[in-house]
Amino acid sequence: MTGRVLVLGGTGEARRLASALVADGVDVVSSLAGRVAEPALPPGAVRIGGFGGAGGLAEWLRANPVDAVVDATHPFATAMTASAAAAAGATGVPLLRLQRPGWSAQPGDDWRWVDSLAGAAGAVQGFGCVFLTTGRQGLAAFAGLTAHCVVRSVDPPEPPLPARTTTVLARGPFSLDDELALLREHAVDVVVTKDSGGPMTAAKLTAARELGVPVVLVRRPPLPAGVPVVATVDEVRGWIRSRAI
């Protein structure tokens, strides 16, 4: 393959995709939001920072022509995904969404689904220790909690935070033993997470199941209409080949 592809990244899938496309001979530009101080960089060219919404991305695409855009951002990166769809529509650049499947409950799981972070905050009222693994960007939704909250993130979270917060700075993936130890150490009695999917952060769900701890899961937001979606890097490569890039 040849050609030039913009990968909207920041996920493990995006890094694997960039590696595969570079190996295929594709000129790859990976775009990272810049929210992590020391991101894991993929091979190929990398730009860091936002585009300034759909209009900014469309302007970038006109100034930096590419053969296709692959949106491989996090399943909850709603603003970027919406901007990608709007910019691709405005410029006529083909767009594909790479999104890992969500998690599926297993026997013994006690999962409680909600539609938003605010809904998750309401669902954990009355618990003694809450393990928040929703990412540091949305912690303001939990600022009013009186429970002891354990917050895990790559970089230190910024206020507002719950009044009783213990911060654990760590980068995944985490093993089952890691997660069991953390839940036991802090006497966690409920876990809050987004339905991110994938194996890198799934061990906490297994740990919660083994310890009988309920999990509050935030549902994924809907995707923009009309954008094709695939679940694997190989499917992206097949799509690119089919377009003779």
Side-chain angles (χ1 to χ4, degrees), residues 37-123:
E38 297 182 6
L41 298 180
V46 177
R47 69 173 301 279
I48 296 179
F51 291 96
L57 176 54
E59 182 178 345
W60 189 94
L61 290 172
R62 294 186 183 102
N64 303 270
V66 297
D67 298 291
V69 176
V70 180
D71 175 14
T73 56
H74 192 275
F76 284 81
T78 53
M80 189 68 253
T81 292
S83 291
T91 59
V93 177
L95 171 67
L96 182 68
R97 170 69 175 162
L98 170 59
Q99 180 165 281
R100 70 187 83 129
W103 287 314
S104 298
Q106 304 298 316
D109 283 327
D110 179 3
W111 287 7
R112 306 171 187 190
W113 290 94
V114 295
D115 292 323
S116 65
L117 292 177

Side-chain angles (χ1 to χ4, degrees), residues 2-244:
T2 58
R4 192 169 190 241
V5 174
L6 172 65
V7 176
L8 305 175
T11 60
E13 290 85 5
R15 289 189 292 275
R16 291 193 293 274
L17 174 62
S19 296
L21 292 181
V22 168
D24 287 338
V26 176
D27 181 11
V28 176
V29 179
S30 293
S31 178
L32 309 181
R35 291 177 178 169
V36 177
E38 297 182 6
L41 298 180
V46 177
R47 69 173 301 279
I48 296 179
F51 291 96
L57 176 54
E59 182 178 345
W60 189 94
L61 290 172
R62 294 186 183 102
N64 303 270
V66 297
D67 298 291
V69 176
V70 180
D71 175 14
T73 56
H74 192 275
F76 284 81
T78 53
M80 189 68 253
T81 292
S83 291
T91 59
V93 177
L95 171 67
L96 182 68
R97 170 69 175 162
L98 170 59
Q99 180 165 281
R100 70 187 83 129
W103 287 314
S104 298
Q106 304 298 316
D109 283 327
D110 179 3
W111 287 7
R112 306 171 187 190
W113 290 94
V114 295
D115 292 323
S116 65
L117 292 177
V124 299
Q125 294 290 342
F127 284 91
C129 182
V130 183
F131 181 28
L132 296 175
T133 64
T134 55
R136 63 192 180 97
Q137 299 296 323
L139 289 174
F142 303 94
L145 293 182
T146 58
H148 175 212
C149 294
V150 178
V151 173
R152 183 169 65 195
S153 65
V154 176
D155 295 319
E158 298 179 357
L161 300 173
R164 300 165 56 207
T165 296
T166 298
T167 301
V168 178
L169 297 181
R171 187 192 297 270
F174 304 101
S175 70
L176 176 57
D177 286 343
D178 293 334
E179 302 294 48
L180 286 169
L182 186 147
L183 295 183
R184 287 173 174 144
E185 177 185 353
H186 298 282
V188 169
D189 55 2
V190 65
V191 175
V192 180
T193 192
K194 298 175 179 177
D195 183 21
S196 300
M200 283 189 65
T201 57
K204 62 174 173 270
L205 303 176
T206 305
R209 183 190 316 132
E210 290 192 7
L211 297 178
V213 173
V215 179
V216 175
L217 283 109
V218 181
R219 291 185 180 90
R220 292 182 174 186
L223 292 170
V227 177
V229 182
V230 297
T232 67
V233 167
D234 282 344
E235 287 176 287
V236 178
R237 295 171 72 199
W239 179 80
I240 289 175
R241 287 194 188 96
S242 72
R243 308 194 68 84

